[in-house]
Amino acid sequence: MSFENLNLHPAIVKAVLAAGYTSPTPIQQQAIPELIAGHDVMASAQTGTGKTAAFMLPALHRLATPAKNHGRGPRILVLTPTRELALQVSDAASKYGKFLPRINVVSILGGMPYPVQNKLLSQTVDVLVATPGRLIDHIERGRINFSRLEMLVLDEADRMLDMGFIQDVERIALSTPAERQTLLFSATMDSAIEKIAARLLKTPKRIQVATQHARLDHIEQRMHYVDDLMHKNRLLDHLLRDTAIKQAIVFTATKRDADSLADNLASQGHMAAAMHGDMTQRERTRTLTGLRQGRLKILVATDVAARGIDIADITHVINFDLPKFAEDYVHRIGRTGRAGASGIAVSFASGKDVAHLKRIERFTGNHFEFQVVPGMEPRTKPRFGRGDDKPGKRPSSAHKAKRSWPDNANPRTSSQNRKGGSDKGTEFTQPFARETRKRPFRDSKFNSSDRFARTEQSQ
Ligand code: AMP
């Protein structure tokens, strides 16, 4: 199938071809005709599948015909969980709409000055991309008129649910015209998402593409067993000196750890910087621009901050700390292997990560063998019970898995505070089989709160 077969406005097809796309991705092939026909759509699609264009192209197609109602308010509203994703969606709207006459794309994000946003909202807006909290503020101040709104897109709805934004999303939806077209995109579908869809969508067409497994095929996943923090730091330094790395994202559990580790790496001579939710939008944008322009090589980030980053030169993702939620593992490693490239994901697991690792294995269907770097072998043997560490049946939903996590009682708090190579085949050759005995592993010497203090002492 080609883009010409999708009945999109010629100016949109021209922009897509100018972007270098030769054919629509599966989600685009399925979603675009339904959306052009005016149906509500509920799509289960990961980032990396081309989902942004799947909703943005038909949204822009609508804009090619004059608005039915008068006014200045947006005709298309896209809600996203994070500022980075919002900026990417805005960029996509501008890129795909560049041959259409006068499309005004505005992003309204938390952490940016109100006067600038007030000014943007006083103009005629065609596409508004926003994070829910800040948008609610503007709605309450009467700065947005939704009388022209034709399409509402909920992007990464599962993440908005995780982050505690869903009530805001529903309030926003209620302030838009009931006859709007509504789209819901989510990496996972479960009963919580179904309930939201039942409230906000009208007899939606359901679309599902590419399972987790298919999507990760182009990413080589490696797992290293680590003794302790010192061992992690040594391995990390070794991996980052690999000439095969163009750019890498290193994930840490907390914002504080991201700062400390970035400082450590910079002091070791790496071009590294941190990115996390405590930074202002200006700082985050500056860091991301540094990465895009190649002035930075290593980004040390937390889950929320790195979500949605789409940079082709990210060849490696390193999970310095394993993510607490299996779904985040998939999102993290999806930062490499963008737009058809291959990528390498390296993760560190210590004895206290048994539960995290099992969750990731179940969710992805992988079974990890530990690999070792010669000369940097762990002193301790991995203590993962063989009998119960096989990848089991994948849980029916990521949320179900998350809810069973003991300290996730408050999704808003827990997601905000969540804990968050070498050349192919050169050194990572020996798989390190897991021990068969079931014995709990205790790592009493190291805990995350004092780990960087400890590292500094040890260097
Ligand atoms: P997304 O899933 O929306 O985050 O998109 C992932 C990446 O795929 C982005 O870099 C897009 O520019 C790219 N992309 C989207 N649609 C296509 C297509 N039809 N052909 C090739 N690349 C695409």
Side-chain angles (χ1 to χ4, degrees), residues 331-343:
H331 283 295
R332 285 181 178 190
I333 73 171
R335 299 308 99 219
T336 181
R338 306 295 292 172
S342 60

Side-chain angles (χ1 to χ4, degrees), residues 184-459:
L184 183 151
F185 285 77
S186 182
T188 54
M189 291 289 172
D190 68 0
S191 59
I193 296 285
E194 291 286 346
K195 278 186 197 148
I196 294 156
R199 287 198 287 272
L200 302 183
L201 279 70
K202 294 182 287 292
T203 52
K205 300 283 177 189
R206 288 167 181 271
I207 295 171
Q208 176 150 24
V209 292
T211 62
Q212 312 272 357
H213 311 254
R215 217 181 59 79
L216 302 179
D217 284 351
H218 59 303
I219 300 170
E220 185 188 326
Q221 299 173 59
R222 300 173 184 166
M223 188 67 66
H224 289 271
Y225 185 77
V226 289
D227 294 317
D228 51 36
L229 181 65
M230 258 170 59
H231 191 194
K232 275 190 186 184
N233 281 321
R234 279 176 50 227
L235 269 174
L236 180 67
D237 183 55
H238 171 83
L239 293 173
L240 293 179
R241 295 195 186 280
D242 184 342
T243 50
I245 295 186
K246 273 195 187 168
Q247 290 187 312
I249 302 185
V250 180
F251 283 95
T252 61
T254 67
K255 300 167 195 170
R256 213 182 105 202
D257 291 350
D259 276 334
S260 314
L261 184 56
D263 287 350
N264 272 3
L265 291 174
S267 69
Q268 288 164 11
H270 296 287
M271 290 153 66
M275 195 165 87
H276 54 69
D278 278 353
M279 293 162 61
T280 63
Q281 187 56 39
R282 185 190 287 251
E283 288 168 333
R284 284 160 73 160
T285 307
R286 197 189 310 129
T287 305
L288 216 47
T289 306
L291 199 65
R292 285 221 163 83
Q293 294 178 346
R295 281 183 280 113
L296 272 179
K297 188 172 169 188
I298 300 154
L299 185 71
V300 187
T302 55
D303 286 298
V304 171
R307 198 165 172 97
I309 291 179
D310 183 9
I311 297 179
D313 279 351
I314 295 174
T315 50
H316 290 63
V317 164
I318 299 174
N319 290 312
F320 191 81
D321 297 314
L322 277 187
K324 201 176 206 179
F325 302 113
E327 188 205 338
D328 283 337
Y329 175 82
V330 174
H331 283 295
R332 285 181 178 190
I333 73 171
R335 299 308 99 219
T336 181
R338 306 295 292 172
S342 60
I344 294 179
V346 185
S347 303
F348 298 158
S350 75
K352 59 189 172 191
D353 291 320
V354 181
H356 295 68
L357 191 54
K358 280 186 196 161
R359 239 168 243 283
I360 292 167
E361 288 193 329
R362 276 201 303 274
F363 191 74
T364 58
N366 288 340
H367 174 70
F368 294 106
E369 296 290 349
F370 290 116
Q371 303 197 346
V372 291
V373 175
M376 293 194 185
E377 296 83 356
R379 293 186 313 275
T380 48
K381 279 192 175 178
R383 300 195 189 282
F384 290 85
R386 188 70 236 180
D388 58 358
D389 71 352
K390 285 188 198 129
K393 197 168 157 283
R394 202 182 137 194
S396 58
S397 79
H399 297 301
K400 214 175 257 175
K402 284 172 200 169
R403 279 196 202 103
S404 64
W405 200 263
D407 59 0
N408 188 28
N410 176 350
R412 187 190 285 264
T413 319
S414 64
S415 69
Q416 279 167 356
N417 299 332
R418 75 172 54 160
K419 294 204 161 198
S422 104
D423 250 332
K424 276 189 186 180
T426 49
E427 289 174 301
F428 297 90
T429 47
Q430 298 150 261
F432 196 151
R434 294 189 202 167
E435 199 172 70
T436 48
R437 272 177 301 153
K438 276 191 187 178
R439 213 171 76 189
F441 179 84
R442 255 177 272 138
D443 190 356
S444 56
K445 264 171 74 184
F446 295 92
N447 61 51
S448 65
S449 59
D450 64 352
R451 26 201 243 157
F452 285 103
R454 227 176 267 283
T455 320
E456 279 151 20
Q457 280 162 21
S458 68
Q459 281 170 353

Side-chain angles (χ1 to χ4, degrees), residues 21-73:
Y21 307 167
T22 48
S23 58
T25 65
I27 181 85
Q28 292 162 5
Q29 288 180 25
Q30 292 180 61
I32 292 172
E34 301 290 3
L35 292 170
I36 289 183
H39 297 294
D40 282 6
V41 162
M42 195 175 164
S44 154
Q46 313 278 334
T47 174
T49 54
K51 68 178 171 64
T52 313
F55 63 77
M56 193 50 76
L57 303 184
L60 293 168
H61 181 81
R62 268 183 179 272
L63 299 184
T65 55
K68 291 187 198 104
N69 294 328
H70 294 292
R72 293 182 159 184

